[in-house]
Amino acid sequence: MILGYTSGVYDLFHIGHLNLLKNAKGLCDKLIVGVSVDELVKYKNKKAVIPFEERIEIVRNIKYVDSAIPQYEIDKFKTWEKIKFDILFVGDDWYETDSWKSMENRFKEVNVRVVYFPYTKGTSSSLINEILIKTRSNI
């Protein structure tokens, strides 16, 4: 059995999120998805619009997701130490960054494959949030 893992905030769930989960599930037998807890989102200097409990419930109910778990740590290797996934799925906006180059090397040592999926152009939670703010200020 091939165990896959991906993680994210999954705030203002959109087609980019769905595409990532669908594509990830197509490459593994079981897909576990980490959903960032509110404290971790704050650590990234952001604030989720949707509370954690609701975000994880949305992700849990996506048909491509076998299990949704809280993501407490930004370090994906610490998560691997707990659940021992075989493939890590990541958006390609992280590809070739210094932090991910070292992360990839750590995963190579334990035979974990890192798969990058194309970032969905034209849509993101940040963009949706900006549009909502502009729309609400014009009302």
Side-chain angles (χ1 to χ4, degrees):
M1 172 174 296
I2 298 172
L3 184 60
Y5 178 78
T6 191
S7 64
V9 178
Y10 299 103
D11 195 25
L12 301 175
F13 197 89
H14 55 75
I15 194 68
H17 294 135
L18 188 62
N19 287 340
L20 181 124
L21 298 174
K22 180 180 180 181
N23 292 333
K25 179 60 178 179
L27 295 174
C28 64
D29 298 308
K30 185 174 180 182
L31 179 62
I32 299 175
V33 180
V35 178
S36 299
V37 296
D38 291 333
E39 295 76 23
L40 184 58
V41 177
K42 286 178 192 167
Y43 170 78
K44 296 177 181 179
N45 295 318
K46 295 184 177 185
K47 184 177 188 314
V49 174
I50 309 297
F52 168 75
E53 293 79 16
E54 294 177 24
R55 290 184 286 112
I56 198 166
E57 190 62 23
I58 290 166
V59 171
R60 203 174 263 139
N61 283 283
I62 303 297
K63 70 180 181 178
Y64 307 110
V65 175
D66 294 295
S67 181
I69 62 173
Q71 178 190 6
Y72 297 104
E73 306 258 0
I74 199 139
D75 185 344
K76 309 285 188 267
F77 201 83
K78 288 183 181 179
T79 302
W80 176 83
E81 290 173 329
K82 293 175 188 168
I83 63 176
K84 305 289 193 227
F85 49 82
D86 302 296
I87 306 175
L88 174 63
F89 302 104
V90 185
D92 71 353
D93 48 330
W94 293 103
Y95 184 68
E96 291 291 314
T97 62
D98 290 337
S99 62
W100 272 94
K101 283 180 190 175
S102 69
M103 187 68 69
E104 273 191 72
N105 289 332
R106 288 176 77 190
F107 280 120
K108 266 186 202 166
E109 292 172 9
V110 293
N111 297 316
V112 171
R113 190 171 139 213
V114 178
V115 174
Y116 292 92
F117 286 128
Y119 191 75
T120 303
K121 304 272 186 269
T123 206
S124 71
S125 296
S126 299
L127 179 62
I128 292 169
N129 228 349
E130 286 175 31
I131 292 167
L132 287 172
I133 290 168
K134 286 177 186 174
T135 301
R136 289 179 182 138
S137 68
N138 290 331
I139 293 176

